[in-house]
Every structure is written in structure tokens, then in C-alpha cells.
């Protein structure tokens, strides 16, 4: 066995063909309060990094269990200056654009 999870077919056509009456309408404040303000990251995950390439607009998502590995990826994105990215931990969200960062890189460790 290859160790991969089995493929489950995507059933988007079923939702696309459903009439709008089947879906409940939500107010903007409900969505913001429920999804944006109360996010949770699993306890075994240190952080999630979602990076968007500035030219191609392709998105990559990296999930790290170890903080030092996440710090290495952030340092890579800082030095390459090819991606804008968002760092999500259980405590905070940070948006970083490579050209908003005007300081030099320091050799001190930093917290994500």
C-alpha cells in the first residue's frame, strides 16, 4: 500500500445544482464573529503559513508542528522576497508583504 489516504470524490455539482432556498442566509457579522474571530489551530500544530507568489498568484500552505521549521520557512520567504504570506498561530494572525519589511535581517531568533 502506498500510504496515501483514499480519494473521496468531490460532490460540488450536487451543491451547484441545488436551489438557493436550500441554503441558510447569514449576516456578515455572524460570519465574521463565528469564523474569523474564533479560529482554532489544532493543539499539535505550531503554526500555519499561507504564502502567495507575487507574480503567479499561486498559493501554498505550510503546516508546521515544530516552531523551528516554521521559522526557517519564514526566513526563506524573507530572503527570497517572492511571496507575501500570512502566519496563523492559536494566538495571532500576521500578514507580511516582502516590500513592507524595510529593516535588515538580524541573527537573533524571533517568535512567530
Amino acid at each position: 500500500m502506498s500510504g496515501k489516504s483514499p480519494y473521496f470524490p468531490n460532490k460540488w455539482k450536487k451543491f451547484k445544482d441545488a436551489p438557493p432556498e436550500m441554503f441558510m442566509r447569514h449576516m456578515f457579522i455572524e460570519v465574521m464573529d463565528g469564523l474569523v474571530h474564533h479560529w482554532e489551530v489544532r493543539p499539535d500544530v505550531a503554526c500555519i503559513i499561507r504564502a502567495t507568489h507575487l507574480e503567479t498568484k499561486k498559493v501554498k500552505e505550510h503546516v508546521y508542528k515544530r516552531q523551528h521549521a516554521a521559522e526557517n520557512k519564514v526566513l526563506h520567504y524573507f530572503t527570497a522576497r517572492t511571496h507575501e504570506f500570512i502566519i496563523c498561530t492559536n494566538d495571532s494572525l500576521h500578514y507580511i508583504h516582502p516590500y513592507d519589511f524595510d529593516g535588515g535581517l538580524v541573527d537573533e531568533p524571533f517568535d512567530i
Side-chain angles (χ1 to χ4, degrees), residues 3-16:
K4 288 186 177 181
S5 300
Y7 175 75
F8 294 102
N10 193 340
K11 299 180 180 168
W12 66 271
K13 288 182 184 178
K14 189 184 285 188
F15 290 99
K16 180 182 171 285

Side-chain angles (χ1 to χ4, degrees), residues 26-110:
H26 294 282
M27 300 293 290
F28 176 77
I29 194 71
E30 292 175 329
V31 174
M32 288 298 289
D33 192 41
L35 297 176
V36 177
H37 294 178
H38 299 290
W39 78 86
E40 286 186 25
V41 177
R42 288 181 18 189
D44 62 333
V45 173
C47 79
I48 301 168
I49 300 172
R50 185 178 200 125
T52 305
H53 195 278
L54 294 174
E55 292 178 10
T56 63
K57 303 298 182 199
K58 288 187 178 181
V59 177
K60 290 184 181 179
E61 190 168 283
H62 310 278
V63 179
Y64 291 99
K65 290 185 178 186
R66 295 185 192 96
Q67 185 165 342
H68 74 277
E71 289 173 0
N72 289 340
K73 181 54 81 173
V74 168
L75 190 60
H76 167 75
Y77 283 139
F78 268 150
T79 55
R81 292 186 180 245
T82 57
H83 291 74
E84 62 182 355
F85 56 98
I86 297 172
I87 302 171
C88 174
T89 66
N90 230 349
D91 302 322
S92 62
L93 282 171
H94 299 282
Y95 168 77
I96 301 169
H97 192 281
Y99 297 109
D100 291 343
F101 180 72
D102 58 355
L105 294 176
V106 294
D107 293 331
E108 300 173 8
F110 55 89

